[in-house]
Amino acid sequence: MPGHAHPGSRRIDEEEAYTTFCHFSWPKTNGEPVCPHCGLLGCYALRRRAFKCSGCRREFLPTCRKERRVH
């Protein structure tokens, strides 16, 4: 039935869901953002849910699916 949880399941809040999503997006770095443009690990949070690369200076979201090797 729609709207009914499975027995034993629990709801997670938005922050926990985002953290889990980041771990799935960047499993090799344990959820730390990797630039999808140049592959650099040196990225920082620009604003809520957005990052900027310290190397190529491009902005990206964790939903960006472009794959690059981690430097």
Side-chain angles (χ1 to χ4, degrees):
M1 272 187 212
H4 288 72
H6 294 293
S9 67
R10 66 180 183 87
R11 292 184 58 86
I12 60 174
D13 65 16
E14 182 181 347
E15 193 60 36
E16 188 176 356
Y18 177 72
T19 300
T20 300
F21 183 78
C22 286
H23 278 85
F24 279 111
S25 295
W26 301 297
K28 293 178 182 175
T29 59
N30 200 29
E32 292 298 315
V34 176
C35 178
H37 306 288
C38 72
L40 189 70
L41 184 58
C43 304
Y44 58 92
L46 185 60
R47 59 186 178 278
R48 182 176 167 88
R49 313 275 192 260
F51 300 95
K52 189 166 189 173
C53 178
S54 298
C56 71
R57 312 290 293 164
R58 292 175 74 178
E59 297 178 19
F60 63 95
L61 302 170
T63 54
C64 182
R65 300 307 328 150
K66 187 176 180 182
E67 291 287 329
R68 294 283 183 180
R69 287 194 346 237
V70 177
H71 292 182

